[in-house]
Structure formats: C-alpha cells, structure tokens
Amino acid sequence: MCGKEQSSFCNSHSVPQMCLRPIADKGKVLYASSAMGFDTGVVDVDGGVNNSGTFNYICRECDAKFFQDYENPDNIIQPPTDKILAEIAVKNMLLQLNKRANEQELIPVLQRELGMYENPDDLSKIKTLDQKEYEEEVLFHQGIVKNNKLGEYQILFRKVLPYKVPIAAQSAIVLPYDMEGNILNEIYNLDESVRMQYMHIAVLPLKDVSVVLAFYHKRDKLYRKLRHQINSSSQEKVLQYINYLIFEYTENVYFSKKIEAELKNNKMIEKVSQEANGLPTFGHLSVYNMFGMDYEAVKPEDIPNFLDENWAIKEEENTDGEE
C-alpha cells in the first residue's frame, strides 16, 4: 500500500481483534467452518483470537497506520466518516485479493487430484477478472483516504445495538439479488467491461454494544433500490437480512462458542453455509447434484437471527482471554 519494497508482511486481521476478544471464550472463537458441517478432523473449526482471520498482504507500517481510525472502539460507535468507511473497504478488498490468489493456485491442484470442476478454465478466468477488479478497488478506496474525499459513500444500514451479538464479521460482497429477488449484479458475466459492484457489511461486537453496518460507494448505483427496500423495512427484518447475508455470502465470520450447539445442529444453517449465490455444494455444480435443478435456496427467515437480542452474550456467559 505504501509502495515500498518489503521483505515480510505482518499478520493483518480481517476482523479487528477488538471485535473478536469480546466474543471469545478462553481466547478462542469459532470459524465459519463450524457452521458448514465439515469433519473437525479435516478442517479447523476454532482458533485463538491472535491467529483468527489473519492474512499477509500488508506491511507492518501500513497495517499500524492506515486502519487506525476504524480499529478504535471510540471511533467505531460514532457515525462513520468517509475515511473510516474507506479504510473498511480497503481491508475488505485486500482480503478478497488474498483469497483469490490462493484459490487460483488451488484450482489446478484440486482438478488434478479430485476432478472437482466441470469447467476449470472458466472458473480460473472468473477469478482472474476478480483479482483485477480487487486491485482496482483497493487503489480506488485508498485514494479516498489519501485525498480526504467527502460524501463518497451511501450507508444502507447502521445501528449501534445495546447488546453484544455472538458474531463478528466484515466483508465485501457482490449481491446477485436484492431483498425482493430482483437482479443486481450479473455475477456470471465474463465480459471484461462489466464491473461487479460491491457492498460492504460489518458486524462489530464490543464490550457492551455491537455495531452493525452496511454501505456502498455512490458510484455503485445498482444498490439504490436495495437502499429503498431497507429504508422501508423494520429494523428486525433488516437485521435478519444482514444475518442471512453473512451466512450466504462470506466466510469471514467468527462466532462465540455460546452458539456452538445451534451452529452444529441446525440443518438450515449448514445448508445456507454450503450455498454459493443460492446454489448448493458451494456452487460446484455437476451431474451429481443435477446442476442445482429444483434446489430450494435458504431464505433469511429459515435460520436463527443471531443479531437479535435473544442471542446476545451476557457478560457472565463470556470468559475472555488470549491464546
């Protein structure tokens, strides 16, 4: 980000540590994999706060300086500035860039070892286009911070909840549909002239409150109708919808062990966690699953709303610590 040559990069947190610690139990949080039905002997389902959600794309100096505004509990509970929103967007896009780079390396390996994909070349092309877009997005939002631009973002929803939710999440997502099922992004369009439009969501629990935030840059006009839908919906419905978006569209989510039993035993949570844009088996469609034909996607009301106060973590229920 600073343009300086680096010999190493630091462990950057994709969700601020200040938001993982409040939901940690003896220093540990649950990963998204805990909701996906994986065998615990195959993948990690939990880990210590210090090592959860880390990636290595940022030098130590940039990580310490660039994100200091939003990674501050006193700042994040205040109405967000453009600078704070841009910092969140940059972190989200860097994480996506890191993820796609790793996936590009894995595609030929998985295809060779497992024959996992029906169309590996198309998948690789999609991910290459994604990487190009992510790089452009990083530079775009970074420029907003550097140039102190104002009035750049549109907030879809923001609320400081007076309780601590058992989820911490932060991500950039490309929504294919709005709340009413209308098409937004044509996610399978491989035309290089078609730019995907991103919205950013964050659920940031602190000691006694939780910040729920969803926003987009004003140039991404596809989300205008969604903004009107959200503005005309009750807070309960919007929280339910954001809760659903977390399970459906991102893996960058961490859970309190308070809800571990629900995550493991609720089949609808497992089902939605294995969906990709409303399709089963993480979107890896083949003759074995009839290419998703007749599949009924999970709806927001089908899963527990962990942003509701009924799931809040009470102080006596949480044993924080470092590991």
Side-chain angles (χ1 to χ4, degrees):
M1 292 177 64
C2 57
K4 300 175 185 177
E5 185 174 341
Q6 303 292 336
S7 60
S8 63
F9 298 88
C10 73
N11 280 342
S12 300
H13 278 79
S14 54
V15 175
Q17 285 194 67
M18 69 179 188
C19 302
L20 296 178
R21 292 193 189 101
I23 66 170
D25 181 53
K26 297 179 181 177
K28 285 194 171 185
V29 291
L30 295 171
Y31 298 160
S33 53
S34 63
M36 294 179 180
F38 288 132
D39 187 332
T40 55
V42 177
V43 297
D44 292 332
V45 296
D46 65 9
V49 166
N50 288 341
N51 299 313
S52 295
T54 57
F55 65 106
N56 306 104
Y57 252 47
I58 312 171
C59 74
R60 193 168 301 280
E61 182 180 357
C62 287
D63 189 63
K65 292 182 178 179
F66 188 86
F67 304 100
Q68 62 183 344
D69 297 280
Y70 104 89
E71 294 183 346
N72 180 319
D74 293 328
N75 291 342
I76 203 65
I77 61 173
Q78 301 300 321
T81 63
D82 280 70
K83 188 177 182 183
I84 283 177
L85 296 176
E87 289 175 11
I88 293 173
V90 168
K91 177 68 73 73
N92 288 345
M93 301 317 300
L94 285 169
L95 176 64
Q96 294 293 89
L97 194 59
N98 175 261
K99 180 182 175 183
R100 283 296 184 268
N102 291 336
E103 289 173 348
Q104 281 286 54
E105 296 296 320
L106 281 172
I107 289 173
V109 176
L110 292 172
Q111 187 64 13
R112 183 175 64 249
E113 299 290 333
L114 303 173
M116 193 167 183
Y117 307 107
E118 291 290 313
N119 49 355
D121 291 339
D122 284 349
L123 182 62
S124 181
K125 182 178 179 181
I126 290 172
K127 294 189 183 298
T128 299
L129 289 174
D130 285 347
Q131 286 177 285
K132 181 182 176 182
E133 283 192 357
Y134 296 160
E135 290 174 2
E136 292 172 350
E137 290 282 326
V138 169
L139 293 173
F140 177 78
H141 295 287
Q142 188 178 354
I144 292 173
V145 174
K146 286 184 175 181
N147 298 310
N148 287 317
K149 293 185 177 180
L150 301 175
E152 294 290 305
Y153 296 97
Q154 181 67 60
I155 292 180
L156 287 162
F157 180 82
R158 178 188 174 272
K159 188 71 177 179
V160 179
L161 301 174
Y163 50 88
K164 182 166 55 179
V165 298
I167 295 180
Q170 185 182 308
S171 189
I173 61 178
V174 174
L175 270 187
Y177 309 103
D178 62 20
M179 293 177 77
E180 297 175 355
N182 302 305
I183 294 176
L184 295 175
N185 287 280
E186 298 179 27
I187 57 175
Y188 298 112
N189 191 330
L190 300 182
D191 188 334
E192 293 188 28
S193 67
V194 177
R195 184 183 69 85
M196 295 296 107
Q197 298 189 17
Y198 300 88
M199 66 173 286
H200 300 268
I201 57 175
V203 175
L204 307 172
L206 300 170
K207 182 180 179 181
D208 301 308
V209 301
S210 303
V211 178
V212 180
L213 176 66
F215 68 94
Y216 65 94
H217 190 272
K218 286 185 175 179
R219 67 175 179 168
D220 294 335
K221 295 178 172 53
L222 290 178
Y223 294 108
R224 284 178 172 177
K225 184 176 287 187
L226 176 63
R227 177 164 62 91
H228 294 309
Q229 292 168 359
I230 286 176
N231 287 340
S232 61
S233 299
S234 66
Q235 177 177 305
E236 179 183 7
K237 185 175 181 180
V238 176
L239 290 175
Q240 184 183 64
Y241 178 64
I242 293 174
N243 176 76
Y244 161 78
L245 294 181
I246 289 169
F247 283 94
E248 177 70 32
Y249 293 108
T250 181
E251 299 164 14
N252 195 40
V253 54
Y254 302 90
F255 305 107
S256 164
K257 291 200 171 187
K258 174 181 181 288
I259 62 172
E260 184 172 14
E262 188 72 19
L263 293 174
K264 287 183 176 180
N265 298 324
N266 190 306
K267 292 303 179 184
M268 295 304 284
I269 290 178
E270 181 178 322
K271 183 179 177 181
V272 72
S273 299
Q274 292 185 12
E275 285 185 353
N277 301 309
L279 296 173
T281 324
F282 304 101
H284 299 152
L285 302 181
S286 69
V287 293
Y288 300 108
N289 56 30
M290 299 296 291
F291 297 100
M293 292 174 61
D294 298 323
Y295 178 77
E296 187 173 341
V298 177
K299 298 183 287 295
E301 59 269 24
D302 292 336
I303 59 174
N305 178 13
F306 293 116
L307 303 184
D308 187 88
E309 189 169 6
N310 289 328
W311 292 97
I313 299 175
K314 304 297 189 295
E315 198 59 42
E316 64 271 14
E317 295 173 328
N318 200 53
T319 307
D320 193 12
E322 289 295 327
E323 185 164 295

